[in-house]
Short mmCIF file of all heavy atoms in Angstrom, two decimals:
data_model
loop_
_atom_site.label_atom_id
_atom_site.label_comp_id
_atom_site.label_asym_id
_atom_site.label_seq_id
_atom_site.Cartn_x
_atom_site.Cartn_y
_atom_site.Cartn_z
N MET A 1 173.31 154.79 -7.75
CA MET A 1 174.46 154.75 -8.62
C MET A 1 174.90 156.16 -9.00
O MET A 1 176.09 156.40 -9.16
CB MET A 1 174.12 153.91 -9.86
CG MET A 1 175.31 153.55 -10.66
SD MET A 1 176.36 152.46 -9.73
CE MET A 1 177.49 151.94 -10.92
N ALA A 2 173.95 157.04 -9.14
CA ALA A 2 174.29 158.42 -9.49
C ALA A 2 175.08 159.08 -8.35
O ALA A 2 175.94 159.93 -8.61
CB ALA A 2 173.04 159.21 -9.81
N PHE A 3 174.78 158.68 -7.12
CA PHE A 3 175.50 159.22 -5.97
C PHE A 3 176.97 158.84 -6.03
O PHE A 3 177.86 159.65 -5.75
CB PHE A 3 174.84 158.69 -4.69
CG PHE A 3 175.32 159.35 -3.43
CD1 PHE A 3 175.09 160.70 -3.22
CD2 PHE A 3 175.97 158.63 -2.47
CE1 PHE A 3 175.52 161.31 -2.06
CE2 PHE A 3 176.40 159.22 -1.29
CZ PHE A 3 176.17 160.58 -1.10
N TYR A 4 177.25 157.61 -6.46
CA TYR A 4 178.63 157.12 -6.58
C TYR A 4 179.36 157.84 -7.70
O TYR A 4 180.51 158.27 -7.53
CB TYR A 4 178.60 155.61 -6.82
CG TYR A 4 179.96 154.97 -6.94
CD1 TYR A 4 180.84 154.95 -5.87
CD2 TYR A 4 180.36 154.37 -8.13
CE1 TYR A 4 182.08 154.36 -5.98
CE2 TYR A 4 181.60 153.79 -8.25
CZ TYR A 4 182.45 153.78 -7.17
OH TYR A 4 183.69 153.20 -7.27
N VAL A 5 178.71 157.99 -8.83
CA VAL A 5 179.33 158.68 -9.97
C VAL A 5 179.57 160.14 -9.63
O VAL A 5 180.62 160.71 -9.98
CB VAL A 5 178.45 158.53 -11.22
CG1 VAL A 5 178.97 159.39 -12.37
CG2 VAL A 5 178.35 157.08 -11.64
N ASN A 6 178.63 160.76 -8.94
CA ASN A 6 178.79 162.16 -8.54
C ASN A 6 179.97 162.30 -7.56
O ASN A 6 180.74 163.26 -7.65
CB ASN A 6 177.50 162.67 -7.90
CG ASN A 6 177.49 164.16 -7.71
OD1 ASN A 6 178.27 164.88 -8.34
ND2 ASN A 6 176.61 164.63 -6.85
N ALA A 7 180.11 161.38 -6.65
CA ALA A 7 181.22 161.42 -5.70
C ALA A 7 182.55 161.25 -6.42
O ALA A 7 183.54 161.92 -6.10
CB ALA A 7 181.05 160.35 -4.64
N LEU A 8 182.59 160.37 -7.42
CA LEU A 8 183.84 160.18 -8.17
C LEU A 8 184.19 161.40 -9.00
O LEU A 8 185.36 161.79 -9.09
CB LEU A 8 183.72 158.95 -9.07
CG LEU A 8 183.76 157.59 -8.39
CD1 LEU A 8 183.56 156.49 -9.41
CD2 LEU A 8 185.05 157.40 -7.64
N SER A 9 183.20 162.01 -9.61
CA SER A 9 183.48 163.17 -10.46
C SER A 9 183.90 164.39 -9.63
O SER A 9 184.59 165.26 -10.14
CB SER A 9 182.27 163.51 -11.32
OG SER A 9 181.19 163.90 -10.51
N ASN A 10 183.50 164.45 -8.36
CA ASN A 10 183.88 165.55 -7.48
C ASN A 10 185.09 165.23 -6.62
O ASN A 10 185.42 165.98 -5.70
CB ASN A 10 182.71 165.95 -6.58
CG ASN A 10 181.59 166.59 -7.35
OD1 ASN A 10 181.81 167.22 -8.38
ND2 ASN A 10 180.37 166.41 -6.87
N ASP A 11 185.75 164.12 -6.89
CA ASP A 11 186.91 163.66 -6.10
C ASP A 11 186.59 163.56 -4.61
O ASP A 11 187.42 163.89 -3.76
CB ASP A 11 188.12 164.58 -6.31
CG ASP A 11 188.71 164.44 -7.71
OD1 ASP A 11 188.55 163.36 -8.29
OD2 ASP A 11 189.31 165.41 -8.20
N ASP A 12 185.42 163.08 -4.30
CA ASP A 12 185.01 162.89 -2.91
C ASP A 12 185.25 161.42 -2.57
O ASP A 12 184.34 160.59 -2.58
CB ASP A 12 183.54 163.27 -2.74
CG ASP A 12 183.15 163.42 -1.29
OD1 ASP A 12 184.02 163.22 -0.43
OD2 ASP A 12 181.98 163.75 -1.03
N TRP A 13 186.50 161.09 -2.28
CA TRP A 13 186.90 159.70 -2.12
C TRP A 13 186.28 159.01 -0.91
O TRP A 13 185.94 157.82 -1.01
CB TRP A 13 188.42 159.59 -2.09
CG TRP A 13 189.02 160.04 -3.39
CD1 TRP A 13 189.78 161.15 -3.59
CD2 TRP A 13 188.85 159.44 -4.67
NE1 TRP A 13 190.11 161.26 -4.91
CE2 TRP A 13 189.55 160.22 -5.60
CE3 TRP A 13 188.17 158.32 -5.12
CZ2 TRP A 13 189.59 159.91 -6.94
CZ3 TRP A 13 188.22 158.01 -6.46
CH2 TRP A 13 188.92 158.80 -7.36
N PRO A 14 186.13 159.67 0.24
CA PRO A 14 185.50 158.95 1.36
C PRO A 14 184.06 158.52 1.06
O PRO A 14 183.64 157.42 1.43
CB PRO A 14 185.54 159.97 2.50
CG PRO A 14 186.70 160.84 2.19
CD PRO A 14 186.71 160.95 0.69
N VAL A 15 183.30 159.36 0.37
CA VAL A 15 181.92 158.99 0.02
C VAL A 15 181.93 157.86 -1.01
O VAL A 15 181.16 156.90 -0.90
CB VAL A 15 181.15 160.21 -0.52
CG1 VAL A 15 179.79 159.79 -1.05
CG2 VAL A 15 181.00 161.26 0.57
N ALA A 16 182.84 157.94 -1.99
CA ALA A 16 182.92 156.89 -3.00
C ALA A 16 183.30 155.55 -2.37
O ALA A 16 182.74 154.51 -2.72
CB ALA A 16 183.93 157.28 -4.07
N MET A 17 184.24 155.57 -1.44
CA MET A 17 184.64 154.34 -0.78
C MET A 17 183.52 153.79 0.11
O MET A 17 183.34 152.57 0.19
CB MET A 17 185.89 154.58 0.07
CG MET A 17 187.10 154.92 -0.75
SD MET A 17 187.63 153.58 -1.79
CE MET A 17 188.66 152.73 -0.64
N GLY A 18 182.77 154.67 0.75
CA GLY A 18 181.64 154.23 1.56
C GLY A 18 180.55 153.59 0.72
O GLY A 18 179.99 152.55 1.10
N VAL A 19 180.25 154.18 -0.42
CA VAL A 19 179.24 153.61 -1.31
C VAL A 19 179.71 152.27 -1.84
O VAL A 19 178.94 151.30 -1.89
CB VAL A 19 178.91 154.59 -2.46
CG1 VAL A 19 178.03 153.93 -3.51
CG2 VAL A 19 178.25 155.84 -1.93
N LEU A 20 180.97 152.19 -2.23
CA LEU A 20 181.52 150.93 -2.73
C LEU A 20 181.51 149.85 -1.64
O LEU A 20 181.20 148.69 -1.92
CB LEU A 20 182.93 151.15 -3.25
CG LEU A 20 183.56 149.98 -4.00
CD1 LEU A 20 182.76 149.66 -5.25
CD2 LEU A 20 184.98 150.31 -4.36
N LEU A 21 181.84 150.23 -0.41
CA LEU A 21 181.79 149.28 0.70
C LEU A 21 180.38 148.76 0.92
O LEU A 21 180.17 147.57 1.14
CB LEU A 21 182.32 149.93 1.98
CG LEU A 21 182.29 149.08 3.24
CD1 LEU A 21 183.27 147.93 3.12
CD2 LEU A 21 182.59 149.92 4.45
N PHE A 22 179.40 149.64 0.85
CA PHE A 22 178.00 149.23 1.01
C PHE A 22 177.58 148.26 -0.09
O PHE A 22 176.92 147.26 0.18
CB PHE A 22 177.09 150.47 1.01
CG PHE A 22 175.65 150.15 1.20
CD1 PHE A 22 175.15 149.79 2.43
CD2 PHE A 22 174.78 150.21 0.12
CE1 PHE A 22 173.81 149.49 2.60
CE2 PHE A 22 173.45 149.91 0.28
CZ PHE A 22 172.96 149.55 1.52
N ILE A 23 177.99 148.53 -1.32
CA ILE A 23 177.65 147.64 -2.44
C ILE A 23 178.30 146.27 -2.26
O ILE A 23 177.64 145.23 -2.44
CB ILE A 23 178.07 148.29 -3.78
CG1 ILE A 23 177.22 149.51 -4.07
CG2 ILE A 23 177.99 147.29 -4.92
CD1 ILE A 23 177.70 150.35 -5.23
N VAL A 24 179.56 146.25 -1.86
CA VAL A 24 180.26 144.98 -1.67
C VAL A 24 179.65 144.19 -0.53
O VAL A 24 179.47 142.96 -0.64
CB VAL A 24 181.77 145.24 -1.44
CG1 VAL A 24 182.47 143.98 -0.96
CG2 VAL A 24 182.41 145.76 -2.70
N LEU A 25 179.31 144.85 0.56
CA LEU A 25 178.67 144.15 1.68
C LEU A 25 177.32 143.57 1.29
O LEU A 25 176.98 142.45 1.70
CB LEU A 25 178.53 145.08 2.88
CG LEU A 25 179.80 145.36 3.66
CD1 LEU A 25 179.53 146.38 4.77
CD2 LEU A 25 180.39 144.09 4.23
N ALA A 26 176.55 144.30 0.50
CA ALA A 26 175.26 143.79 0.04
C ALA A 26 175.45 142.56 -0.83
O ALA A 26 174.68 141.58 -0.72
CB ALA A 26 174.51 144.89 -0.72
N ILE A 27 176.46 142.56 -1.68
CA ILE A 27 176.72 141.40 -2.54
C ILE A 27 177.16 140.20 -1.71
O ILE A 27 176.69 139.07 -1.91
CB ILE A 27 177.77 141.75 -3.61
CG1 ILE A 27 177.17 142.72 -4.61
CG2 ILE A 27 178.29 140.49 -4.31
CD1 ILE A 27 178.17 143.29 -5.59
N VAL A 28 178.04 140.42 -0.73
CA VAL A 28 178.53 139.32 0.10
C VAL A 28 177.39 138.73 0.93
O VAL A 28 177.25 137.50 1.02
CB VAL A 28 179.68 139.80 1.01
CG1 VAL A 28 180.00 138.78 2.07
CG2 VAL A 28 180.91 140.09 0.17
N ILE A 29 176.56 139.57 1.51
CA ILE A 29 175.42 139.07 2.30
C ILE A 29 174.46 138.30 1.41
O ILE A 29 173.94 137.25 1.79
CB ILE A 29 174.74 140.24 3.03
CG1 ILE A 29 175.66 140.75 4.15
CG2 ILE A 29 173.40 139.81 3.61
CD1 ILE A 29 175.19 142.03 4.79
N GLY A 30 174.22 138.80 0.20
CA GLY A 30 173.35 138.09 -0.74
C GLY A 30 173.91 136.74 -1.13
O GLY A 30 173.16 135.76 -1.24
N MET A 31 175.22 136.67 -1.33
CA MET A 31 175.84 135.39 -1.69
C MET A 31 175.76 134.39 -0.54
O MET A 31 175.54 133.20 -0.76
CB MET A 31 177.29 135.61 -2.10
CG MET A 31 177.46 136.42 -3.35
SD MET A 31 176.91 135.56 -4.82
CE MET A 31 178.24 134.43 -5.04
N VAL A 32 175.95 134.86 0.69
CA VAL A 32 175.86 133.96 1.85
C VAL A 32 174.43 133.45 2.01
O VAL A 32 174.22 132.25 2.25
CB VAL A 32 176.35 134.68 3.12
CG1 VAL A 32 176.00 133.89 4.36
CG2 VAL A 32 177.84 134.92 3.05
N ILE A 33 173.46 134.33 1.86
CA ILE A 33 172.05 133.90 1.96
C ILE A 33 171.72 132.90 0.86
O ILE A 33 171.06 131.89 1.10
CB ILE A 33 171.12 135.13 1.93
CG1 ILE A 33 171.27 135.93 3.21
CG2 ILE A 33 169.67 134.70 1.72
CD1 ILE A 33 170.54 137.25 3.20
N ALA A 34 172.18 133.16 -0.36
CA ALA A 34 171.94 132.23 -1.46
C ALA A 34 172.61 130.88 -1.20
O ALA A 34 172.02 129.83 -1.49
CB ALA A 34 172.44 132.83 -2.77
N ASP A 35 173.81 130.91 -0.66
CA ASP A 35 174.52 129.67 -0.36
C ASP A 35 173.82 128.86 0.72
O ASP A 35 173.74 127.63 0.63
CB ASP A 35 175.95 129.99 0.05
CG ASP A 35 176.84 128.77 0.07
OD1 ASP A 35 176.64 127.88 -0.77
OD2 ASP A 35 177.76 128.73 0.90
N LEU A 36 173.31 129.53 1.72
CA LEU A 36 172.64 128.82 2.82
C LEU A 36 171.27 128.29 2.43
O LEU A 36 170.83 127.27 2.94
CB LEU A 36 172.51 129.74 4.03
CG LEU A 36 173.82 130.12 4.72
CD1 LEU A 36 173.57 131.12 5.83
CD2 LEU A 36 174.54 128.89 5.25
N THR A 37 170.57 128.97 1.54
CA THR A 37 169.22 128.55 1.17
C THR A 37 169.19 127.66 -0.06
O THR A 37 168.13 127.14 -0.41
CB THR A 37 168.32 129.77 0.92
OG1 THR A 37 168.87 130.55 -0.13
CG2 THR A 37 168.16 130.59 2.17
N TYR A 38 170.33 127.45 -0.71
CA TYR A 38 170.33 126.65 -1.94
C TYR A 38 169.92 125.21 -1.67
O TYR A 38 169.28 124.58 -2.50
CB TYR A 38 171.70 126.70 -2.60
CG TYR A 38 171.68 126.18 -4.00
CD1 TYR A 38 171.10 126.92 -5.03
CD2 TYR A 38 172.24 124.95 -4.33
CE1 TYR A 38 171.07 126.45 -6.31
CE2 TYR A 38 172.21 124.47 -5.61
CZ TYR A 38 171.63 125.23 -6.61
OH TYR A 38 171.59 124.75 -7.88
N SER A 39 170.30 124.68 -0.52
CA SER A 39 169.94 123.29 -0.21
C SER A 39 168.44 123.15 0.06
O SER A 39 167.90 122.06 -0.08
CB SER A 39 170.74 122.78 0.98
OG SER A 39 170.45 123.55 2.12
N LEU A 40 167.77 124.23 0.43
CA LEU A 40 166.33 124.15 0.61
C LEU A 40 165.59 124.15 -0.73
O LEU A 40 164.54 123.54 -0.87
CB LEU A 40 165.85 125.34 1.45
CG LEU A 40 166.40 125.45 2.87
CD1 LEU A 40 165.94 126.74 3.52
CD2 LEU A 40 165.97 124.24 3.68
N ILE A 41 166.18 124.83 -1.71
CA ILE A 41 165.55 124.92 -3.02
C ILE A 41 165.78 123.65 -3.83
O ILE A 41 164.86 123.14 -4.47
CB ILE A 41 166.12 126.14 -3.78
CG1 ILE A 41 165.74 127.42 -3.04
CG2 ILE A 41 165.61 126.19 -5.20
CD1 ILE A 41 166.45 128.65 -3.55
N ASP A 42 167.00 123.13 -3.81
CA ASP A 42 167.35 121.94 -4.58
C ASP A 42 167.66 120.80 -3.62
O ASP A 42 168.69 120.79 -2.96
CB ASP A 42 168.58 122.24 -5.45
CG ASP A 42 168.84 121.17 -6.48
OD1 ASP A 42 168.09 120.17 -6.51
OD2 ASP A 42 169.79 121.33 -7.26
N PRO A 43 166.76 119.82 -3.53
CA PRO A 43 166.97 118.74 -2.54
C PRO A 43 168.15 117.82 -2.88
O PRO A 43 168.57 117.05 -2.05
CB PRO A 43 165.65 117.97 -2.58
CG PRO A 43 165.02 118.33 -3.86
CD PRO A 43 165.51 119.68 -4.24
N ARG A 44 168.69 117.90 -4.09
CA ARG A 44 169.83 117.07 -4.44
C ARG A 44 171.12 117.54 -3.79
O ARG A 44 172.09 116.79 -3.69
CB ARG A 44 170.03 117.05 -5.96
CG ARG A 44 168.85 116.43 -6.70
CD ARG A 44 169.05 116.57 -8.18
NE ARG A 44 169.02 118.01 -8.51
CZ ARG A 44 169.22 118.50 -9.72
NH1 ARG A 44 169.50 117.69 -10.72
NH2 ARG A 44 169.15 119.78 -9.93
N VAL A 45 171.13 118.78 -3.33
CA VAL A 45 172.33 119.35 -2.73
C VAL A 45 172.36 118.97 -1.25
O VAL A 45 171.38 119.13 -0.54
CB VAL A 45 172.34 120.88 -2.88
CG1 VAL A 45 173.54 121.49 -2.18
CG2 VAL A 45 172.32 121.25 -4.34
N ARG A 46 173.50 118.47 -0.81
CA ARG A 46 173.66 118.13 0.59
C ARG A 46 174.68 119.04 1.22
O ARG A 46 175.62 119.47 0.58
CB ARG A 46 174.15 116.69 0.74
CG ARG A 46 173.18 115.65 0.29
CD ARG A 46 173.75 114.28 0.57
NE ARG A 46 172.89 113.25 0.01
CZ ARG A 46 173.25 112.00 -0.11
NH1 ARG A 46 174.45 111.62 0.30
NH2 ARG A 46 172.43 111.12 -0.63
N THR A 47 174.52 119.30 2.50
CA THR A 47 175.53 120.06 3.22
C THR A 47 176.61 119.11 3.69
O THR A 47 176.34 117.96 4.02
CB THR A 47 174.92 120.79 4.43
OG1 THR A 47 174.28 119.83 5.28
CG2 THR A 47 173.89 121.80 3.99
N SER A 48 177.84 119.57 3.70
CA SER A 48 178.94 118.72 4.14
C SER A 48 178.97 118.68 5.66
O SER A 48 178.82 119.68 6.33
CB SER A 48 180.27 119.25 3.60
OG SER A 48 180.51 120.52 4.12
N GLU A 49 179.14 117.50 6.17
CA GLU A 49 179.21 117.31 7.62
C GLU A 49 180.60 116.79 7.94
O GLU A 49 180.97 115.69 7.57
CB GLU A 49 178.15 116.33 8.09
CG GLU A 49 176.75 116.85 7.83
CD GLU A 49 175.68 115.81 8.25
OE1 GLU A 49 176.03 114.85 8.94
OE2 GLU A 49 174.54 116.01 7.87
N SER A 50 181.36 117.60 8.64
CA SER A 50 182.73 117.19 8.97
C SER A 50 182.79 116.46 10.29
O SER A 50 182.14 116.77 11.22
CB SER A 50 183.62 118.44 9.07
OG SER A 50 183.62 119.09 7.83
#
């Protein structure tokens, strides 16, 4: 986090955008993993079958 704040305070926008992109990708991947494994944790949840 200090790397991101340092990049912002030095107006280093490409580094700040890269750090932000990495954070967003980590959150999205975590949400997808949580969504896919939730049915294994809670047996009441069913997956939709189209």
Side-chain angles (χ1 to χ4, degrees):
M1 192 66 170
F3 190 64
Y4 181 65
V5 172
N6 191 19
L8 287 177
S9 64
N10 291 331
D11 290 333
D12 195 359
W13 297 113
V15 173
M17 294 294 274
V19 171
L20 189 62
L21 178 68
F22 181 75
I23 292 170
V24 168
L25 284 176
I27 291 172
V28 168
I29 290 171
M31 294 292 284
V32 168
I33 290 172
D35 193 34
L36 292 175
T37 59
Y38 194 72
S39 62
L40 298 175
I41 296 169
D42 191 359
R44 296 175 295 177
V45 176
R46 294 184 186 167
T47 57
S48 63
E49 297 177 14
S50 299

